[in-house]
Amino acid sequence: MTHRAADRARYDRATDRLDAPFAVVDLAAFDANAADLVRRAGGKPVRVASKSVRCRALLERALAQEGFAGVMSFTLAESLWLARAGFPDVLLAYPSVDRESFGRLAADPKLAAAVTVMVDDPAQLELIDRARDGGREEIRVCLELDTALRLFGGRIRVGARRSPRHAPEQLAALARSVVRRPGFRLVGLMAYEGHIAGVGDAVAGSPLLSRGIRLMQRTARRQLAALRAESVRAVRAVVPELEFVNGGGTGSVQSTAAEDAVTEIAAGSGLYVPRLFDHYAAFSGRPAALFALPVVRRPGVGVVTVLGGGYPASGPAGRDRLPVPYLPEGLRYDAVEGAGEVQTPLLGSPADDLLIGDRVWFRHAKAGELCERFAVLHLIDGDRVVDTVPTYRGEGLTFL
Protein backbone atom coordinates (compact mmCIF):
# COMPACT_ATOMS: atom_id res chain seq x y z
CA MET A 1 0.00 0.00 0.00
CA THR A 2 1.37 3.42 -0.95
CA HIS A 3 1.71 6.21 1.60
CA ARG A 4 -1.21 8.07 0.01
CA ALA A 5 -3.37 4.94 -0.03
CA ALA A 6 -2.62 4.43 3.66
CA ASP A 7 -3.64 8.02 4.36
CA ARG A 8 -6.88 7.49 2.47
CA ALA A 9 -7.70 4.39 4.49
CA ARG A 10 -6.87 6.24 7.71
CA TYR A 11 -8.99 9.27 6.80
CA ASP A 12 -11.91 7.07 5.77
CA ARG A 13 -11.76 5.21 9.09
CA ALA A 14 -11.52 8.43 11.10
CA THR A 15 -14.52 10.01 9.40
CA ASP A 16 -16.65 6.94 8.85
CA ARG A 17 -19.58 8.40 10.82
CA LEU A 18 -19.48 11.81 9.14
CA ASP A 19 -21.63 12.73 6.17
CA ALA A 20 -19.67 14.44 3.39
CA PRO A 21 -19.03 17.15 2.29
CA PHE A 22 -16.70 18.09 5.14
CA ALA A 23 -13.14 19.32 5.70
CA VAL A 24 -10.38 17.91 7.88
CA VAL A 25 -6.93 18.82 9.15
CA ASP A 26 -4.39 16.08 9.82
CA LEU A 27 -2.76 17.22 13.07
CA ALA A 28 0.43 15.20 12.60
CA ALA A 29 0.97 16.82 9.20
CA PHE A 30 0.06 20.27 10.55
CA ASP A 31 2.56 19.96 13.42
CA ALA A 32 5.30 18.61 11.15
CA ASN A 33 4.79 21.50 8.75
CA ALA A 34 4.94 23.97 11.65
CA ALA A 35 8.20 22.45 12.84
CA ASP A 36 9.63 22.69 9.32
CA LEU A 37 8.76 26.40 9.08
CA VAL A 38 10.53 27.01 12.39
CA ARG A 39 13.55 25.03 11.21
CA ARG A 40 13.79 27.00 7.99
CA ALA A 41 13.44 30.29 9.88
CA GLY A 42 16.77 29.59 11.55
CA GLY A 43 15.96 31.03 14.95
CA LYS A 44 13.91 34.02 13.83
CA PRO A 45 10.29 34.03 15.05
CA VAL A 46 7.56 33.03 12.60
CA ARG A 47 4.49 35.26 12.55
CA VAL A 48 1.55 33.12 11.46
CA ALA A 49 -0.57 34.53 8.62
CA SER A 50 -4.21 34.20 9.64
CA LYS A 51 -5.42 34.53 6.04
CA SER A 52 -3.91 31.11 5.39
CA VAL A 53 -5.43 29.45 8.47
CA ARG A 54 -8.83 31.13 9.21
CA CYS A 55 -9.46 28.98 12.25
CA ARG A 56 -8.88 30.35 15.73
CA ALA A 57 -8.11 26.97 17.31
CA LEU A 58 -5.41 26.22 14.74
CA LEU A 59 -3.90 29.68 15.05
CA GLU A 60 -3.60 28.97 18.76
CA ARG A 61 -2.10 25.55 18.05
CA ALA A 62 0.60 27.03 15.82
CA LEU A 63 1.41 29.81 18.28
CA ALA A 64 1.74 27.28 21.10
CA GLN A 65 4.73 25.77 19.30
CA GLU A 66 8.18 27.14 20.06
CA GLY A 67 9.40 29.44 17.29
CA PHE A 68 6.06 31.09 16.47
CA ALA A 69 5.19 34.57 17.72
CA GLY A 70 2.36 36.87 16.67
CA VAL A 71 -0.35 36.90 14.03
CA MET A 72 -0.42 38.61 10.65
CA SER A 73 -4.08 39.45 9.99
CA PHE A 74 -5.88 40.49 6.80
CA THR A 75 -8.62 42.94 7.86
CA LEU A 76 -8.91 45.45 10.68
CA ALA A 77 -12.17 43.95 11.95
CA GLU A 78 -10.46 40.56 12.16
CA SER A 79 -7.51 42.16 13.97
CA LEU A 80 -9.79 43.61 16.66
CA TRP A 81 -11.64 40.31 17.03
CA LEU A 82 -8.38 38.40 17.49
CA ALA A 83 -7.11 40.97 20.01
CA ARG A 84 -10.34 40.72 22.00
CA ALA A 85 -9.97 36.93 21.95
CA GLY A 86 -6.59 37.23 23.67
CA PHE A 87 -4.06 37.34 20.83
CA PRO A 88 -1.58 39.94 22.14
CA ASP A 89 0.34 40.76 18.96
CA VAL A 90 -1.60 41.25 15.72
CA LEU A 91 -0.04 42.88 12.65
CA LEU A 92 -2.54 43.95 10.00
CA ALA A 93 -0.87 43.16 6.67
CA TYR A 94 -2.98 45.47 4.48
CA PRO A 95 -4.10 49.11 4.73
CA SER A 96 -7.68 49.58 5.92
CA VAL A 97 -10.38 52.20 5.45
CA ASP A 98 -12.71 50.65 8.05
CA ARG A 99 -13.61 53.83 9.92
CA GLU A 100 -15.82 52.14 12.49
CA SER A 101 -13.04 49.73 13.47
CA PHE A 102 -10.49 52.52 13.63
CA GLY A 103 -12.81 54.35 16.02
CA ARG A 104 -12.92 51.27 18.24
CA LEU A 105 -9.16 50.82 18.05
CA ALA A 106 -8.49 54.42 19.08
CA ALA A 107 -10.88 54.15 22.03
CA ASP A 108 -9.67 50.89 23.60
CA PRO A 109 -6.27 50.63 25.36
CA LYS A 110 -6.17 46.82 25.10
CA LEU A 111 -6.84 46.83 21.36
CA ALA A 112 -4.45 49.70 20.70
CA ALA A 113 -1.65 47.86 22.52
CA ALA A 114 -2.23 44.60 20.62
CA VAL A 115 -2.88 45.73 17.04
CA THR A 116 -0.45 47.29 14.55
CA VAL A 117 -1.91 48.75 11.35
CA MET A 118 -0.32 48.99 7.90
CA VAL A 119 0.35 52.30 6.19
CA ASP A 120 1.96 53.20 2.88
CA ASP A 121 0.43 56.65 2.26
CA PRO A 122 -0.09 59.76 4.44
CA ALA A 123 -3.72 59.77 3.29
CA GLN A 124 -4.24 56.63 5.36
CA LEU A 125 -3.08 58.50 8.45
CA GLU A 126 -5.55 61.26 7.65
CA LEU A 127 -8.37 58.74 7.39
CA ILE A 128 -7.46 57.16 10.74
CA ASP A 129 -7.44 60.56 12.44
CA ARG A 130 -10.87 61.40 11.02
CA ALA A 131 -12.19 58.04 12.23
CA ARG A 132 -11.01 58.36 15.83
CA ASP A 133 -14.39 59.63 17.03
CA GLY A 134 -12.86 61.06 20.18
CA GLY A 135 -10.58 58.09 20.86
CA ARG A 136 -7.16 59.16 22.08
CA GLU A 137 -5.19 55.90 22.13
CA GLU A 138 -1.87 55.88 20.28
CA ILE A 139 -2.09 53.84 17.06
CA ARG A 140 0.77 51.46 16.32
CA VAL A 141 1.91 51.75 12.69
CA CYS A 142 3.92 49.57 10.32
CA LEU A 143 5.21 50.81 6.95
CA GLU A 144 5.20 48.61 3.86
CA LEU A 145 8.02 48.55 1.32
CA ASP A 146 7.33 47.53 -2.27
CA THR A 147 9.53 44.52 -3.03
CA ALA A 148 8.94 44.13 -6.78
CA LEU A 149 11.92 43.20 -8.93
CA ARG A 150 12.76 46.14 -11.19
CA LEU A 151 14.95 45.72 -14.24
CA PHE A 152 16.16 48.03 -16.98
CA GLY A 153 15.48 51.19 -15.02
CA GLY A 154 12.06 50.02 -13.91
CA ARG A 155 10.76 49.28 -17.40
CA ILE A 156 10.30 45.65 -16.36
CA ARG A 157 8.57 44.95 -13.06
CA VAL A 158 7.93 41.55 -11.46
CA GLY A 159 5.91 41.32 -8.26
CA ALA A 160 2.58 42.11 -6.64
CA ARG A 161 1.30 45.68 -6.90
CA ARG A 162 1.27 46.61 -3.24
CA SER A 163 2.97 49.60 -1.63
CA PRO A 164 3.85 52.71 -3.69
CA ARG A 165 7.02 53.04 -1.55
CA HIS A 166 9.82 51.30 -3.45
CA ALA A 167 12.86 53.38 -2.45
CA PRO A 168 14.50 53.88 0.97
CA GLU A 169 14.12 57.66 0.81
CA GLN A 170 10.38 57.30 0.11
CA LEU A 171 10.00 55.06 3.14
CA ALA A 172 12.02 57.45 5.32
CA ALA A 173 9.82 60.37 4.21
CA LEU A 174 6.73 58.39 5.20
CA ALA A 175 8.36 57.53 8.53
CA ARG A 176 8.87 61.24 9.21
CA SER A 177 5.18 61.85 8.42
CA VAL A 178 4.20 59.32 11.06
CA VAL A 179 6.61 60.68 13.66
CA ARG A 180 5.40 64.27 13.17
CA ARG A 181 1.73 63.32 13.59
CA PRO A 182 0.47 63.08 17.21
CA GLY A 183 -1.36 59.91 18.14
CA PHE A 184 0.75 57.49 16.11
CA ARG A 185 3.82 55.38 16.89
CA LEU A 186 5.94 53.82 14.18
CA VAL A 187 6.94 50.33 15.33
CA GLY A 188 7.62 48.20 12.26
CA LEU A 189 8.43 47.72 8.62
CA MET A 190 7.11 45.01 6.33
CA ALA A 191 8.38 43.88 2.93
CA TYR A 192 6.54 40.88 1.43
CA GLU A 193 8.24 39.28 -1.58
CA GLY A 194 5.31 37.43 -3.14
CA HIS A 195 7.16 36.80 -6.41
CA ILE A 196 9.64 34.72 -4.42
CA ALA A 197 7.57 33.37 -1.53
CA GLY A 198 4.44 32.56 -3.54
CA VAL A 199 5.80 31.29 -6.87
CA GLY A 200 7.01 27.70 -7.08
CA ASP A 201 10.35 27.17 -8.80
CA ALA A 202 10.01 23.47 -9.63
CA VAL A 203 7.03 23.34 -11.97
CA ALA A 204 6.24 19.72 -12.87
CA GLY A 205 6.91 18.96 -16.53
CA SER A 206 8.29 22.44 -17.26
CA PRO A 207 12.06 22.45 -16.79
CA LEU A 208 12.62 25.59 -18.87
CA LEU A 209 9.93 27.53 -17.00
CA SER A 210 11.36 26.32 -13.68
CA ARG A 211 14.83 27.45 -14.70
CA GLY A 212 13.50 30.85 -15.69
CA ILE A 213 11.66 31.24 -12.37
CA ARG A 214 14.80 30.31 -10.42
CA LEU A 215 16.84 32.85 -12.37
CA MET A 216 14.24 35.54 -11.72
CA GLN A 217 14.12 34.70 -8.03
CA ARG A 218 17.91 34.67 -7.60
CA THR A 219 18.05 38.13 -9.14
CA ALA A 220 15.10 39.30 -7.04
CA ARG A 221 16.62 38.00 -3.79
CA ARG A 222 19.89 39.83 -4.39
CA GLN A 223 18.14 43.08 -5.28
CA LEU A 224 15.68 42.84 -2.41
CA ALA A 225 18.29 42.02 0.24
CA ALA A 226 20.17 45.22 -0.63
CA LEU A 227 16.97 47.28 -0.84
CA ARG A 228 15.60 45.94 2.42
CA ALA A 229 18.85 46.57 4.31
CA GLU A 230 19.10 50.12 2.98
CA SER A 231 15.43 50.80 3.73
CA VAL A 232 15.77 49.56 7.30
CA ARG A 233 18.78 51.84 7.82
CA ALA A 234 16.83 54.79 6.41
CA VAL A 235 13.82 54.18 8.66
CA ARG A 236 15.93 53.51 11.75
CA ALA A 237 17.59 56.87 11.17
CA VAL A 238 14.14 58.35 11.82
CA VAL A 239 12.95 55.81 14.43
CA PRO A 240 15.92 54.05 16.06
CA GLU A 241 13.64 52.03 18.36
CA LEU A 242 11.87 50.18 15.50
CA GLU A 243 10.48 46.96 17.01
CA PHE A 244 10.41 44.60 14.02
CA VAL A 245 11.16 44.11 10.34
CA ASN A 246 8.86 41.52 8.78
CA GLY A 247 9.51 39.67 5.55
CA GLY A 248 9.11 36.39 3.80
CA GLY A 249 6.33 33.92 3.20
CA THR A 250 6.14 30.12 3.13
CA GLY A 251 8.15 29.81 -0.07
CA SER A 252 11.03 32.06 0.97
CA VAL A 253 11.41 31.45 4.71
CA GLN A 254 15.03 30.33 4.62
CA SER A 255 16.34 32.98 2.21
CA THR A 256 14.52 35.83 3.97
CA ALA A 257 15.66 34.64 7.40
CA ALA A 258 19.26 34.81 6.17
CA GLU A 259 19.02 38.62 5.86
CA ASP A 260 20.38 40.46 8.89
CA ALA A 261 17.89 43.29 8.37
CA VAL A 262 14.88 40.99 8.88
CA THR A 263 13.81 40.24 12.47
CA GLU A 264 10.78 37.99 11.86
CA ILE A 265 9.28 35.83 9.12
CA ALA A 266 5.64 35.65 8.02
CA ALA A 267 4.19 32.29 6.97
CA GLY A 268 0.85 30.54 7.00
CA SER A 269 0.22 28.46 3.88
CA GLY A 270 3.02 26.13 4.92
CA LEU A 271 0.87 24.86 7.79
CA TYR A 272 -1.86 23.43 5.54
CA VAL A 273 0.31 22.99 2.38
CA PRO A 274 -2.29 23.50 -0.36
CA ARG A 275 -1.55 22.36 -3.91
CA LEU A 276 0.06 25.66 -4.99
CA PHE A 277 2.93 24.87 -2.62
CA ASP A 278 3.84 21.53 -4.18
CA HIS A 279 6.38 22.98 -6.60
CA TYR A 280 9.33 24.32 -4.61
CA ALA A 281 12.85 22.95 -4.93
CA ALA A 282 13.98 24.05 -1.45
CA PHE A 283 11.31 22.34 0.64
CA SER A 284 8.33 20.01 0.62
CA GLY A 285 5.50 19.84 3.12
CA ARG A 286 2.79 17.37 4.03
CA PRO A 287 -0.77 18.07 2.86
CA ALA A 288 -2.61 18.74 6.11
CA ALA A 289 -5.94 20.27 5.05
CA LEU A 290 -8.29 18.31 2.82
CA PHE A 291 -11.98 18.14 2.04
CA ALA A 292 -14.11 15.12 1.21
CA LEU A 293 -16.96 15.00 -1.30
CA PRO A 294 -19.38 12.06 -1.57
CA VAL A 295 -19.90 9.96 -4.68
CA VAL A 296 -23.55 10.44 -5.64
CA ARG A 297 -23.62 9.06 -9.21
CA ARG A 298 -21.89 6.47 -11.41
CA PRO A 299 -22.72 7.71 -14.94
CA GLY A 300 -20.65 5.07 -16.73
CA VAL A 301 -17.43 3.14 -16.92
CA GLY A 302 -14.51 5.15 -15.56
CA VAL A 303 -16.75 7.98 -14.29
CA VAL A 304 -18.17 9.01 -10.92
CA THR A 305 -19.93 12.20 -9.94
CA VAL A 306 -19.38 13.84 -6.55
CA LEU A 307 -21.55 16.42 -4.83
CA GLY A 308 -20.22 20.01 -5.07
CA GLY A 309 -16.58 20.80 -5.67
CA GLY A 310 -16.54 24.15 -7.46
CA TYR A 311 -14.22 25.86 -4.97
CA PRO A 312 -11.81 27.94 -7.08
CA ALA A 313 -9.08 29.93 -5.34
CA SER A 314 -8.32 33.63 -5.81
CA GLY A 315 -5.77 34.89 -8.30
CA PRO A 316 -5.60 34.73 -12.09
CA ALA A 317 -8.17 32.24 -13.36
CA GLY A 318 -6.57 29.00 -14.44
CA ARG A 319 -6.36 25.27 -13.82
CA ASP A 320 -3.88 25.80 -10.99
CA ARG A 321 -6.61 27.64 -9.02
CA LEU A 322 -8.89 24.60 -8.90
CA PRO A 323 -8.94 22.02 -6.14
CA VAL A 324 -7.27 18.78 -7.16
CA PRO A 325 -8.71 15.28 -6.66
CA TYR A 326 -6.16 13.69 -4.32
CA LEU A 327 -7.42 10.36 -2.97
CA PRO A 328 -7.83 7.88 -4.50
CA GLU A 329 -4.96 8.63 -6.83
CA GLY A 330 -5.59 8.84 -10.56
CA LEU A 331 -8.85 10.78 -10.81
CA ARG A 332 -9.14 13.86 -13.03
CA TYR A 333 -11.73 16.42 -14.08
CA ASP A 334 -13.83 16.16 -17.21
CA ALA A 335 -12.41 18.96 -19.37
CA VAL A 336 -15.89 19.90 -20.53
CA GLU A 337 -17.43 20.26 -17.04
CA GLY A 338 -14.54 20.93 -14.67
CA ALA A 339 -15.27 21.51 -10.97
CA GLY A 340 -18.99 22.26 -10.65
CA GLU A 341 -20.94 24.23 -8.12
CA VAL A 342 -23.34 21.39 -7.26
CA GLN A 343 -21.75 18.37 -8.91
CA THR A 344 -18.37 17.40 -10.33
CA PRO A 345 -17.77 14.42 -12.63
CA LEU A 346 -14.40 12.70 -12.21
CA LEU A 347 -12.74 10.43 -14.74
CA GLY A 348 -10.17 7.66 -14.42
CA SER A 349 -9.90 3.96 -13.71
CA PRO A 350 -10.15 4.43 -9.89
CA ALA A 351 -13.74 5.57 -10.47
CA ASP A 352 -14.76 1.96 -11.13
CA ASP A 353 -13.80 0.99 -7.57
CA LEU A 354 -15.89 3.75 -5.98
CA LEU A 355 -19.41 3.08 -4.78
CA ILE A 356 -22.31 5.42 -4.08
CA GLY A 357 -21.55 7.07 -0.74
CA ASP A 358 -17.76 6.65 -0.93
CA ARG A 359 -15.56 9.73 -0.49
CA VAL A 360 -13.16 11.42 -2.84
CA TRP A 361 -10.58 13.53 -1.01
CA PHE A 362 -9.49 16.86 -2.51
CA ARG A 363 -6.80 19.43 -1.83
CA HIS A 364 -7.61 23.12 -2.21
CA ALA A 365 -5.36 25.39 -4.28
CA LYS A 366 -4.85 28.12 -1.65
CA ALA A 367 -4.66 27.51 2.07
CA GLY A 368 -7.19 29.40 4.20
CA GLU A 369 -9.71 29.98 1.43
CA LEU A 370 -10.92 26.42 1.98
CA CYS A 371 -12.33 27.59 5.32
CA GLU A 372 -14.76 29.93 3.57
CA ARG A 373 -16.56 26.79 2.32
CA PHE A 374 -16.88 24.92 5.62
CA ALA A 375 -18.18 25.91 9.05
CA VAL A 376 -15.99 23.41 10.92
CA LEU A 377 -12.75 21.49 10.56
CA HIS A 378 -12.52 17.93 11.87
CA LEU A 379 -9.11 17.40 13.43
CA ILE A 380 -7.63 13.96 12.78
CA ASP A 381 -4.99 12.29 14.94
CA GLY A 382 -4.00 8.91 13.56
CA ASP A 383 -7.24 7.28 12.52
CA ARG A 384 -9.55 9.21 14.88
CA VAL A 385 -11.30 12.55 14.82
CA VAL A 386 -10.15 14.05 18.12
CA ASP A 387 -11.86 17.43 17.89
CA THR A 388 -14.13 19.53 15.71
CA VAL A 389 -13.41 23.24 15.66
CA PRO A 390 -15.11 26.19 13.94
CA THR A 391 -13.58 28.10 11.09
CA TYR A 392 -14.02 31.87 10.92
CA ARG A 393 -17.14 31.18 8.88
CA GLY A 394 -18.34 28.73 11.51
CA GLU A 395 -18.01 31.48 14.14
CA GLY A 396 -20.32 33.62 12.01
CA LEU A 397 -17.54 35.84 10.70
CA THR A 398 -16.99 36.85 7.07
CA PHE A 399 -14.21 39.40 7.11
CA LEU A 400 -13.89 39.51 3.31
Side-chain angles (χ1 to χ4, degrees):
M1 182 181 290
T2 67
H3 177 72
R4 280 173 60 173
D7 279 345
R8 179 192 175 201
R10 183 164 59 87
Y11 297 151
D12 282 344
R13 286 195 302 273
T15 62
D16 180 60
R17 298 189 177 208
L18 299 177
D19 288 328
F22 56 78
V24 305
V25 170
D26 184 329
L27 292 179
F30 182 93
D31 291 346
N33 292 335
D36 188 60
L37 289 171
V38 170
R39 178 190 63 80
R40 291 197 287 132
K44 293 186 177 177
V46 178
R47 184 181 290 273
V48 61
S50 66
K51 178 175 71 72
S52 301
V53 179
R54 302 193 201 198
C55 171
R56 192 154 48 120
L58 289 174
L59 288 173
E60 291 169 347
R61 187 180 184 92
L63 288 167
Q65 302 199 34
E66 187 175 353
F68 282 84
V71 174
M72 176 176 282
S73 58
F74 59 95
T75 75
L76 183 55
E78 178 212 13
S79 304
L80 303 190
W81 176 70
L82 289 172
R84 289 192 189 99
F87 291 83
D89 178 8
V90 183
L91 169 62
L92 176 58
Y94 306 87
S96 176
V97 293
D98 182 347
R99 292 171 295 180
E100 181 178 352
S101 292
F102 275 127
R104 292 172 179 167
L105 179 64
D108 189 317
K110 177 184 175 181
L111 298 181
V115 175
T116 302
V117 304
M118 192 63 59
V119 167
D120 60 30
D121 191 311
Q124 294 153 357
L125 300 173
E126 296 274 0
L127 184 143
I128 295 170
D129 266 340
R130 292 196 303 271
R132 284 180 181 270
D133 194 27
R136 297 181 178 275
E137 294 300 321
E138 188 174 59
I139 305 298
R140 292 168 55 87
V141 170
C142 178
L143 308 184
E144 182 169 7
L145 171 70
D146 174 41
T147 66
L149 171 63
R150 296 171 185 273
L151 301 171
F152 303 106
R155 290 191 294 277
I156 293 180
R157 182 187 188 281
V158 181
R161 297 185 182 277
R162 292 176 64 106
S163 171
R165 311 284 160 174
H166 56 264
E169 58 271 20
Q170 294 176 327
L171 214 58
L174 184 57
R176 288 190 288 271
S177 294
V178 175
V179 169
R180 286 195 298 263
R181 185 179 286 265
F184 294 90
R185 180 155 61 99
L186 179 56
V187 298
L189 188 156
M190 185 182 84
Y192 170 60
E193 57 268 37
H195 52 300
I196 305 172
V199 178
D201 63 347
V203 184
S206 301
L208 290 179
L209 175 59
S210 299
R211 195 173 300 126
I213 292 172
R214 286 194 289 272
L215 175 61
M216 177 274 290
Q217 290 181 340
R218 280 197 300 271
T219 304
R221 281 194 293 268
R222 286 195 299 269
Q223 186 184 99
L224 177 56
L227 173 63
R228 191 148 40 196
E230 189 177 348
S231 298
V232 170
R233 284 194 296 270
V235 173
R236 286 195 186 277
V238 180
V239 183
E241 65 276 15
L242 204 65
E243 294 178 14
F244 65 85
V245 177
N246 180 282
T250 289
S252 67
V253 171
Q254 62 275 20
S255 60
T256 306
E259 296 181 33
D260 291 338
V262 174
T263 67
E264 63 174 40
I265 309 299
S269 294
L271 294 169
Y272 288 166
V273 186
R275 63 170 295 199
L276 282 177
F277 285 82
D278 285 347
H279 307 300
Y280 287 80
F283 74 96
S284 60
R286 292 173 55 182
L290 303 99
F291 65 95
L293 301 180
V295 173
V296 293
R297 289 177 172 168
R298 292 170 50 88
V301 175
V303 186
V304 291
T305 301
V306 295
L307 181 68
Y311 308 154
S314 61
R319 291 174 58 85
D320 65 341
R321 303 291 148 162
L322 295 177
V324 61
Y326 182 59
L327 302 170
E329 297 180 66
L331 294 172
R332 67 185 187 277
Y333 290 120
D334 183 329
V336 175
E337 294 196 48
E341 179 188 8
V342 292
Q343 71 165 36
T344 298
L346 299 170
L347 312 180
S349 57
D352 294 328
D353 296 323
L354 292 170
L355 304 177
I356 299 295
D358 285 349
R359 286 84 176 268
V360 176
W361 295 86
F362 289 75
R363 293 172 65 202
H364 199 258
K366 294 185 75 174
E369 293 182 20
L370 171 64
C371 295
E372 298 299 336
R373 300 287 180 172
F374 296 93
V376 300
L377 297 173
H378 301 286
L379 307 184
I380 293 178
D381 185 7
D383 60 359
R384 295 185 306 121
V385 171
V386 295
D387 203 356
T388 297
V389 295
T391 61
Y392 281 12
R393 180 62 62 93
E395 296 204 57
L397 300 164
T398 52
F399 292 115
L400 281 177

